[in-house]
Amino acid sequence: MDAPQSNPLPGAARFYLALVSAAGFLTMVFTLAGANWRLEHLSEFIVYLLMGALSSGMKVRLPGVRGTLSVNFIFVLLAVVELDRSGALLISCGATLAQVLLAARVRPKPVQVVFNLGNAALCGVFCDVIYHSPNVRQVDRSLPVLLLCASVGYFMLNTLVVAEIIALTERKAMIKVWRDNFFWTAPQYIFGAALVGVIHVCNTRFGWQYAVLAFPGIYLLDRSYRVYLRRLEEEKQHVKDHEEAYRQLAEAQQRLMTLSRQAGMAEVATGVLHNVGNVLNSINVSATLVADRVRESQISKLAALTHLLEEHAGDLPAFLTIDPRGMRVTPYLKNLFSCLAEEREVMLRELHLLTVHID
């Protein structure tokens, strides 16, 4: 598994790259310095190395990240079982270089090559350490258990190292990155361990040349990767479509709620305006009635009466008692008073109604 290509890295990611690269370089130096080279395994080593490099071309793109997954770890496990630690280290690094350099669509940066090489060195040696661990062998020395422990150790270290650099680069939680993008690959590592076990049994009985039988199994594993990833992408697209449908449904529901709220507000506003219109209509009726009463008021007749009294101001007592017109003044004033009092009551009542409507 190679790390994804990335944009300019944050400081923490650069430090992590340097740390993994340095640890892988030191592991490589100490492992090769203490290697016990045996020429009788040279042909087997070369064949495994070439097969690991060839299998590096069988890689699939990981969903969600800009990285790839290869099946070359099978030959690392095979080297762990049948060769020594230095052979597993060199095959792991050689297959990784082939995966990064020869089978890459985009030319990687030097820092990416160094990081992947350091990670490959760590994973190859770690896998060999687990397989030959006395603690594991005290529990169970059977080949299936040893291969299972070695493959799980290789899987955990390889995926966690790559997941951490992705998390630092994209500023995400490492556990979430690992769970979403790498956890599902565990069965393929276990299948690879089972395949290595079958190859080792054949090699033990018939000779190491039967390791070429690994290629049909590797092809099946590669096809299973691709089928699983295609189904995974289809499922993700299906989930994405559902999420988009739910989002559109939620937006439509929100729009309906907004329209309902606006319709309710419009209905309330219509009722308020209707009530206001009724009040204004009542006010207009009252104001018109008062205006008509004022316009038709009998008080204007006081002007004629005042003018008549001014004409007879010198003989006003005789005018009021002897003159027929003067004798009608008192009854006239009485009738005028009654009319004005009635007008006053009507206008007061209308003004009261006007005040009530305004309130």
Side-chain angles (χ1 to χ4, degrees), residues 65 112 116 171 232 234 262 310 318:
V65 295
Q112 294 169 339
N116 283 284
R171 294 179 173 85
L232 185 63
E234 292 175 355
Q262 292 176 350
E310 287 179 349

Side-chain angles (χ1 to χ4, degrees), residues 52-321:
L54 291 175
S55 65
S56 298
M58 300 180 184
K59 60 181 182 178
V60 293
R61 300 190 64 81
L62 294 171
V65 295
R66 296 177 59 188
T68 57
L69 177 65
S70 177
V71 295
N72 55 29
F73 69 91
I74 291 177
F75 293 99
V76 178
L77 288 177
L78 193 59
V80 167
V81 175
E82 299 193 355
L83 302 177
D84 54 9
R85 183 171 299 176
S86 59
L89 168 69
L90 292 175
I91 290 176
S92 179
C93 293
T96 299
L97 284 177
Q99 179 181 350
V100 174
L101 298 177
L102 301 181
R105 295 182 178 181
V106 181
R107 185 174 182 179
K109 298 178 181 179
V111 64
Q112 294 169 339
V113 176
V114 173
F115 173 79
N116 283 284
L117 192 60
N119 182 34
L122 292 174
C123 291
V125 172
F126 185 67
C127 182
D128 184 84
V129 169
I130 293 180
Y131 183 83
H132 295 94
S133 172
N135 296 328
V136 176
R137 291 174 179 265
Q138 285 179 0
V139 177
D140 195 330
R141 299 178 60 88
S142 62
L143 181 64
V145 173
L146 295 177
L147 282 175
L148 176 64
C149 294
S151 62
V152 171
Y154 185 97
F155 159 72
M156 293 298 295
L157 181 61
N158 188 24
T159 55
L160 288 175
V161 168
V162 178
E164 178 63 21
I165 186 60
I166 295 175
L168 292 174
T169 303
E170 300 181 359
R171 294 179 173 85
K172 298 179 180 178
M174 188 271 288
I175 296 300
K176 185 178 186 305
V177 173
W178 181 79
R179 183 179 65 249
D180 294 343
N181 301 287
F182 302 106
F183 176 72
W184 58 269
T185 63
Q188 279 73 15
Y189 282 85
I190 297 175
F191 176 79
L195 181 61
V196 170
V198 173
I199 296 172
H200 176 66
V201 172
C202 292
N203 291 351
T204 303
R205 293 187 178 183
F206 307 109
W208 64 266
Q209 292 83 358
Y210 283 86
V212 294
L213 296 176
F215 266 103
I218 291 175
Y219 177 77
L220 292 177
L221 183 59
D222 178 70
R223 297 308 302 173
S224 69
Y225 273 154
R226 297 180 186 277
V227 171
Y228 181 81
L229 284 177
R230 184 169 62 251
R231 292 181 178 177
L232 185 63
E233 288 294 336
E234 292 175 355
E235 185 65 24
K236 283 189 174 182
Q237 185 62 37
H238 183 66
V239 172
K240 185 178 180 181
D241 293 340
H242 273 285
E243 290 178 350
E244 180 66 19
Y246 287 141
R247 185 187 64 81
Q248 293 178 357
L249 180 61
E251 291 180 354
Q253 184 178 7
Q254 184 63 33
R255 287 196 297 269
L256 285 176
M257 291 177 63
T258 302
L259 291 175
S260 298
R261 188 162 51 247
Q262 292 176 350
M265 294 171 62
E267 183 177 357
V268 171
T270 302
V272 171
L273 291 175
H274 179 72
N275 294 334
V276 171
N278 291 337
V279 172
L280 292 176
N281 185 57
S282 299
I283 292 174
N284 184 53
V285 171
S286 297
T288 302
L289 182 59
V290 171
D292 291 340
R293 286 287 184 174
V294 171
R295 189 164 42 249
E296 298 172 359
S297 177
Q298 300 294 326
I299 197 171
S300 59
K301 296 180 179 181
L302 285 176
L305 180 60
T306 302
H307 180 69
L308 180 62
L309 293 176
E310 287 179 349
E311 289 180 352
H312 299 278
D315 57 345
L316 186 59
F319 175 75
L320 293 175
T321 56

